[in-house]
Amino acid sequence: MFTESSHPHPAVNEIEDVPDISAHWYRAVTDLAADAPGWLRAPAPIATETIILVFLGLLVLTWWRARAGGDRQLTAALLAPVATALGYLGSELLKTWWQQERPCRVVRDIATTLAECPEPGDWSLPSNHSAIAAASAVALAFAWRRLTVVAVLLALLEGFSRVYVGAHYPHDVVAGFLLGGLVATAVMLLTGPLTPATHRIRSHRAFRAALRSRQATASR
């Protein structure tokens, strides 16, 4: 849905707590989006949400693949969604504390945005989508290295799309990347220390399964 703000806007260099260069790049990217052909504009608001679903699918696929793998591999696969969730929660907490207004509300004379401007109180810094994307990319890089390049490219595309549809400043995206990436790295570094626990749990389950099998055989 194409929307256009009807609010009076301050000049770019009058926006409090927003770097002028970030506001300038925001206007340049939204102008680029407005001038793009319709076939490129129309799917952008859907694509920016779909990428997050793709990451969730990759996390599930990573866990499914790791079930038959080693203890360390399974531990990393189980930690990956935890890292992503904590990256999102961290961004939400920072956003609530910082309370930076959305650029689609305060940047003057911007082009029509491709995505509907969020309601007042839905703050801009950092970008939740970018934090989720970065956390997922880092987690996947730890849990399934072959997905690293794909995950990083998807994260970069997600970050760009948030500016392209008019939802965020570039510095919102960078902040989301940094926060999500750092949180995910901290979580995924627990893979080694937690692997013995995974081994004990799997061994216990294997023992119980073997015991049930023997009992079933004896009762025949």
Side-chain angles (χ1 to χ4, degrees), residues 166-186:
H168 286 284
Y169 294 105
H171 76 276
D172 297 340
V173 171
V174 173
F177 279 164
L178 291 174
L179 179 60
L182 289 173
V183 170
T185 298

Side-chain angles (χ1 to χ4, degrees), residues 26 31 35 54 59 61 66 68-69 76 80 82 99 109 111 135 140 153 159 188 210:
Y26 172 79
D31 284 345
D35 293 337
V54 172
L59 290 171
L61 180 61
V82 176
Q99 296 189 355
D109 299 329
L140 289 169
L153 290 177
M188 297 308 295

Side-chain angles (χ1 to χ4, degrees), residues 16 31 35 45 66 73 84 87 91 100 102 135 150 155 158 172 184 205 212:
E16 186 178 359
D31 284 345
D35 293 337
Q73 183 182 17
T84 300
S91 68
Q100 175 187 278
R102 293 274 181 168
V150 172
E158 177 65 10
D172 297 340
R205 288 179 177 176
R212 285 196 298 267

Side-chain angles (χ1 to χ4, degrees), residues 12-210:
V12 169
N13 60 3
E14 294 175 354
I15 303 174
E16 186 178 359
D17 297 328
V18 173
D20 289 350
I21 190 171
S22 188
H24 174 73
W25 285 353
Y26 172 79
R27 299 180 77 176
V29 173
T30 51
D31 284 345
L32 176 68
D35 293 337
W39 62 266
L40 192 56
R41 289 183 301 169
I46 299 175
T48 193
E49 304 295 339
T50 302
I51 293 173
I52 298 299
L53 296 179
V54 172
F55 271 119
L56 294 178
L58 290 175
L59 290 171
V60 172
L61 180 61
T62 300
W63 164 78
W64 185 264
R65 170 180 173 270
R67 292 183 313 140
D71 294 330
R72 185 180 182 88
Q73 183 182 17
L74 180 58
T75 303
L78 292 172
L79 282 175
V82 176
T84 300
L86 290 178
Y88 163 72
L89 289 175
S91 68
E92 191 64 27
L93 288 173
L94 180 57
K95 178 179 291 191
T96 302
W97 174 74
W98 191 266
Q99 296 189 355
Q100 175 187 278
E101 189 58 88
R102 293 274 181 168
C104 48
R105 294 192 173 280
V106 296
V107 177
R108 187 180 63 179
D109 299 329
I110 59 172
T112 302
T113 57
L114 303 187
E116 185 175 356
C117 196
E119 294 294 325
D122 187 344
W123 309 111
S124 185
L125 177 72
S127 164
N128 289 146
H129 287 69
S130 299
I132 293 172
S136 297
V138 169
L140 289 169
F142 274 90
W144 192 351
R145 290 186 180 180
R146 290 187 178 181
L147 290 180
T148 300
V149 174
V150 172
V152 169
L153 290 177
L154 281 173
L156 292 174
L157 180 60
E158 177 65 10
F160 177 78
S161 73
R162 300 309 292 161
V163 183
Y164 189 80
V165 300
H168 286 284
Y169 294 105
H171 76 276
D172 297 340
V173 171
V174 173
F177 279 164
L178 291 174
L179 179 60
L182 289 173
V183 170
T185 298
V187 173
M188 297 308 295
L189 287 175
L190 296 175
T191 300
L194 292 178
T195 295
T198 301
H199 176 73
R200 288 194 295 271
I201 293 172
R202 296 179 91 180
S203 298
H204 180 64
R205 288 179 177 176
F207 173 76
R208 293 179 61 183

